[in-house]
Amino acid sequence: MNFSVLMSAYYKDNPQWLKQAIDSVLNNTVKPSQIVLVVDGQIPNELEQVINEYRDSLDILRLEKNSGLGIALQQGLLKCKYPLVARMDSDDISLPNRFELQLKEFENNPNLTIVGGYIQEFDSQTNEKTSIRKVPLEDMQIKQYLKIRSPFNHPTVMFKKEDILKAGNYQTFYQMEDYYLWARLVKANYQMKNIPEILLNFRTDKNMFARRGSYKYFKSNKEVSKQMLKMKIINYPYYLFNITVRFITQVLMPNNIRTLFYKKVLR
């Protein structure tokens, strides 16, 4: 079964990590028919050298200026040639059988729109494995979980391009491009699934939870909940619960407490 892989790179990416990410895609047991790499604005020479090394394996789309992940994925998806598209980040590592496992799910159930899975988090400095982020598995569980949190590990997903475009494609939404898209898929009642397998090694650092501790991040989360309220995915009590919990964890909590909360409660 032919499928595309959609990636994005920008000026802050680590060249060695990008190389590892591309290698993990190319070394899968089932290789993609196309790898679309969106270069989001100007990048340093070190990144250009890595991209040039893989130029024969990549379908490269260059954006004139840095436009953010939402626009990069939006434009990149339009360049994907095949009905199924797998997401991949520029600093993670897909497990060797990732695509094989996901393609089997689509073969077994042609009605599925999206298939994701678990991630193994690891420390970018020490390479030590830390937490496994598990997600709900079946369609009803996923749609219920979405009311409170994102039900997919974004870098693991494989989806039908046609359904994503019908739902409005990726859109600009600060650090919530994926969550807002999943909400629109739920609104359209597309079938969803996660498999209980680690599909990807996910790089973390000491600042990961600090980045979830800003008023800007809270406002973006609040807006997603507001949109879900408008779409009637959640009711007003859910909306109040969501924004209250997020305000406490993302604005009021000190970073050390927030880090502990995410690691011990949300993993």
Side-chain angles (χ1 to χ4, degrees), residues 23 33 53 60 65 72 91 140 166 176 216 223:
D23 281 341
S33 309
E53 182 181 339
I60 301 169
K65 64 177 183 178
D91 55 356
M140 287 184 62
K166 284 180 180 177
M176 293 286 124
K216 184 178 181 181
E223 185 59 31

Side-chain angles (χ1 to χ4, degrees), residues 3 28-30 95-105 107 158 195:
F3 68 100
N28 248 254
T29 54
V30 179
L95 266 62
N97 64 340
R98 172 194 165 177
F99 302 136
E100 181 180 350
L101 291 172
Q102 291 178 288
L103 289 170
K104 283 180 181 177
E105 295 297 329
E107 289 170 0
M158 180 182 283
I195 55 179

